[in-house]
Amino acid sequence: IPVEPFDLVIFGGTGDLARRKILPGLFRRYCAGQIPADSQIIGAARSEHDATEFRAIVAEAIREFGGGKACEDGTLDEFLQRIDYVTVDARGDTGWSELASKVRKDLINAFYFSVGPGLFGDLAERLHRYDMADDDSRIVVEKPFGRDLATAKALNASLAKHFDETQIYRIDHYLGKETVQNLMAVRFGNMLFEPLWNSQYIDHIQISVAETVGVGGRGGYYDKSGAMRDMVQNHLMQLLCLIAMEPPAKFDPDAVRDEKLKVIRALDPVEPHHIVRGQYGPSADDDGFRTHVGDPASKTESFVAMKIAISNWRWAGTPFYLRTGKKLKARTSEITVVFKDAPHSIFGAEAGRHNNELRIRLQPNEGMTLDVTIKEPGQGGMRLVDVPLDMSFAEALGPNVAEVPDAYERLIMDVIRGNQTLFMRGDEVEAAWAWTDPIIEGWQARGEVPKTYDSGSDGPTDAMAMIARDGRIWREIK
Ligand code: NAD
C-alpha cells in the first residue's frame, strides 16, 4: 500500500548509515511501488556536493548495498530524479535557507537525523528557526540514544524543546525485524501460547544475540561503549519487553509502549554475581579486542551474559538469561522459551525427562521451532524423544517472503505513516538507562576486568558456570 507523498530530509545523507541502509531501503520501497512519484528525498550533510554528485553517490550506494528484488529498467533513474542535495552545517547557518526553500510544507515532512547525537539539539532548533517544522513534522533519531540516564535525559530535553513526543521516532532497527513483530502476533494472535506464558509453565527464557564480527573500524567508539550500552540497553531490552509484556488492550503505539515500560520498571537490580563480562582475546587470525580498540589495558566488555528477574505476578520465579557478544561462534539472534517438565511422568524413569521448547530465530533464517515430545518410533517399550515442529517463515510463506522489507525500510515507511508502535518512547529509553547505569557504575567502582574468551567460542567459561549454578545450560549458538 503506497504511503502519502512526502519530503524526507536525511541529515548525514552522505554518511555510512545513509549509504548502507537508508537510501538503498528507500529505493527498494520505491521499486515496490510504495513511494509516490511526487515525493522528494533531500540529502543534507556538511560535505559540499551538488544534486548531480549526490545522485551519483546514491546510485553507487544502491549498486553496492541495494540487493532486494530486481527493479525494472529505468526505475533507478526515475528514483534518482526524486533526490536532491543541500550542503548544510548543523552547527552554523550554511544551507538552511536553501533547505527551507526546498521542503514543501503541504506534504508530510520527515527529518532523519543520521548524524552523531551531539548534533540532534542543533538540528531540532534550526528546523524551527528556519520554519521548516510544523505540528505534523516527524524527526527520526538514531542510536545511541545517550550513554547513560543523564545524557539520555539531556537528549530528550533538547528534542522536547522543539518537538512533541508524538513527533519523535527513536529507531531501534531490531523492532523493524519481521520476527520481532511476529513475537506479538504469535503471543497475542493465538490461544495456544498466552495461557502458558507465565512462571507456572515456563522454566526460564534465554535471549542470545551473537555476532561473529569484532569491533571492526568502530574501535574508538566501541571502547567507550561496550556490549552493555551498545546491545543490552537497547536491542536485548526491547526483545525482553516484547517477550515479557502483558497483552496491550490494542495494537496502538502508546498501548504497546506502556506495557513495555512496565516490564522495564519491574526489573530487579542485577546482582554482580549474575553478570559475566567478557572480552575477546587475540587468536591466530585476529589481534584481539584490546588491539582493535587501541588500548592494551581496556576494561570494556565485548560480551555480556546476565540473569535477570522481573518482579511481577507473571514472571516471579522465572529467570531470563541474556547474552550478547562479538567474535562468537556464529551469527545468530535467538529467543528460547524453555517450558517446565510435565509434572509427573507416567512412562517411568527410562523414558527420561522431557520438556517443550519454543525457539524464535530472528536471524538468520527467521522462523520458529517448537520441540514436542513424542514416542521414539520403532523402539520397544515407551521411549520418548523430542522432535521439532519447524516453521521457517521463508518456506511457509513461499514467494511472498521476498517482498518482506528489511527493518529500516519498514520503519521509515512507518514514520511516513505516522505510526510510532515500533519506535522507542522517551520514557522507555530513560527507564532502560536507569536500570543499566548502576550495573555499569558497579563495574567501574570495582575496577572489574572482563574475562578473556577465544574468538569463535561461546564466550567466557564463567558464563556457562553462571547458568550451570542454576542447573541450566545455554542453548547452542549455531
Ligand atoms: P558517518 O560518520 O558515516 O556520517 C555522518 C554524516 O553526518 C555525514 O554525512 C556528515 O557529512 C554528516 N555531518 C557531520 N557533521 C555535520 C554537521 N556539523 N552538519 C551537517 N552534517 C554533518 O556516520 P554514520 O555511521 O552514518 O552514523 C550516523 C548516525 O547513525 C550516528 O548517530 C550513528 O551512531 C548512528 N548509527 C549508525 C549505524 C551504522 O551502521 N553506520 C548503525 C546504527 C546507528
Side-chain angles (χ1 to χ4, degrees), residues 14 42-58 80 83-88 98 102:
T14 57
I42 306 173
R46 206 168 31 176
S47 6
E48 300 225 358
H49 296 292
D50 59 24
T52 311
E53 287 164 354
F54 184 63
R55 283 181 194 130
I57 293 174
V58 175
L80 292 176
I83 304 273
D84 205 343
Y85 184 81
V86 182
T87 303
V88 160
E98 187 189 349
K102 295 194 180 220

Side-chain angles (χ1 to χ4, degrees), residues 187-325:
R187 281 193 60 194
F188 306 130
N190 293 285
M191 193 57 205
L192 198 58
F193 299 108
E194 204 47 30
L196 306 179
W197 212 258
N198 57 54
S199 59
Q200 198 180 342
Y201 298 103
I202 294 179
D203 178 71
H204 74 279
I205 292 180
Q206 300 188 8
I207 303 178
S208 294
V209 177
E211 295 177 277
T212 49
V213 294
V215 293
R218 296 167 70 218
Y221 158 77
Y222 197 89
D223 199 30
K224 295 193 200 74
S225 158
M228 189 71 188
R229 289 192 173 99
D230 193 49
M231 295 296 288
V232 177
Q233 185 274 344
N234 41 46
H235 304 323
L236 277 83
M237 195 50 48
Q238 290 295 320
L239 297 181
L240 175 76
C241 285
L242 294 175
I243 273 283
M245 72 183 185
E246 297 300 317
K250 49 187 172 185
F251 191 58
D252 97 4
D254 277 326
V256 171
R257 297 185 301 176
D258 284 346
E259 295 307 335
K260 284 163 58 196
L261 179 62
K262 285 185 209 161
V263 173
I264 305 176
R265 290 197 172 146
L267 295 177
D268 279 356
V270 183
E271 304 281 340
H273 63 283
H274 287 156
I275 308 190
V276 174
R277 299 166 79 214
Q279 194 183 67
Y280 61 87
S283 59
D285 58 348
D286 194 284
D287 298 331
F289 182 85
R290 290 181 167 185
T291 306
H292 291 166
V293 301
D295 174 4
S298 169
K299 292 179 184 164
T300 306
E301 78 285 355
S302 60
F303 173 99
V304 62
M306 57 173 68
K307 176 184 179 181
I308 289 180
I310 302 177
S311 279
N312 63 18
W313 271 60
R314 185 185 284 264
W315 294 118
T318 294
F320 288 72
Y321 297 93
L322 270 52
R323 171 174 66 158
T324 183

Side-chain angles (χ1 to χ4, degrees), residues 10-22 44-49 54 85-92 94 96 112-120 122-123 141-145 171 173 218 221 230 235 408:
I10 308 173
F11 292 106
T14 57
D16 176 68
L17 181 70
R19 285 184 293 110
R20 274 191 316 112
K21 293 287 182 188
I22 305 171
R46 206 168 31 176
S47 6
E48 300 225 358
H49 296 292
F54 184 63
Y85 184 81
V86 182
T87 303
V88 160
D89 181 4
R91 294 220 158 104
T94 310
W96 284 93
Y112 200 129
F113 293 6
S114 184
V115 296
L119 298 178
F120 289 177
D122 295 299
L123 293 176
V141 297
E142 267 296 335
K143 79 161 199 177
F145 203 82
I171 281 217
H173 70 273
R218 296 167 70 218
Y221 158 77
D230 193 49
H235 304 323
Y408 272 95

Side-chain angles (χ1 to χ4, degrees), residues 292-440:
H292 291 166
V293 301
D295 174 4
S298 169
K299 292 179 184 164
T300 306
E301 78 285 355
S302 60
F303 173 99
V304 62
M306 57 173 68
K307 176 184 179 181
I308 289 180
I310 302 177
S311 279
N312 63 18
W313 271 60
R314 185 185 284 264
W315 294 118
T318 294
F320 288 72
Y321 297 93
L322 270 52
R323 171 174 66 158
T324 183
K326 294 192 174 293
K327 282 276 175 192
L328 296 177
K329 192 154 82 183
R331 175 172 177 262
T332 170
S333 300
E334 195 164 283
I335 299 171
T336 310
V337 180
V338 181
F339 289 88
K340 291 187 172 171
D341 290 354
H344 166 68
S345 170
I346 64 168
F347 304 110
E350 91 265 17
R353 306 283 295 172
H354 293 272
N355 65 335
N356 303 114
E357 274 189 26
L358 178 66
R359 281 188 296 280
I360 302 158
R361 272 193 317 275
L362 310 179
Q363 65 184 23
N365 310 326
E366 301 193 6
M368 292 197 326
T369 307
L370 177 66
D371 280 351
V372 176
T373 304
I374 61 162
K375 176 182 174 300
E376 195 173 331
Q379 295 290 331
M382 196 58 151
R383 292 179 63 88
L384 303 184
V385 63
D386 295 331
V387 292
L389 283 180
D390 203 338
M391 193 176 108
S392 149
F393 296 156
E395 271 173 36
L397 300 177
N400 291 339
V401 93
E403 313 262 346
V404 171
D406 96 355
Y408 272 95
E409 292 171 50
R410 169 183 305 272
L411 292 173
I412 296 170
M413 291 300 100
D414 277 359
V415 172
I416 304 300
R417 286 193 201 94
N419 184 345
Q420 289 187 303
T421 310
L422 301 176
F423 296 84
M424 295 179 293
R425 211 168 53 192
D427 51 3
E428 260 185 90
V429 175
E430 290 185 13
W433 281 121
W435 174 81
T436 311
D437 276 1
I439 298 172
I440 296 175

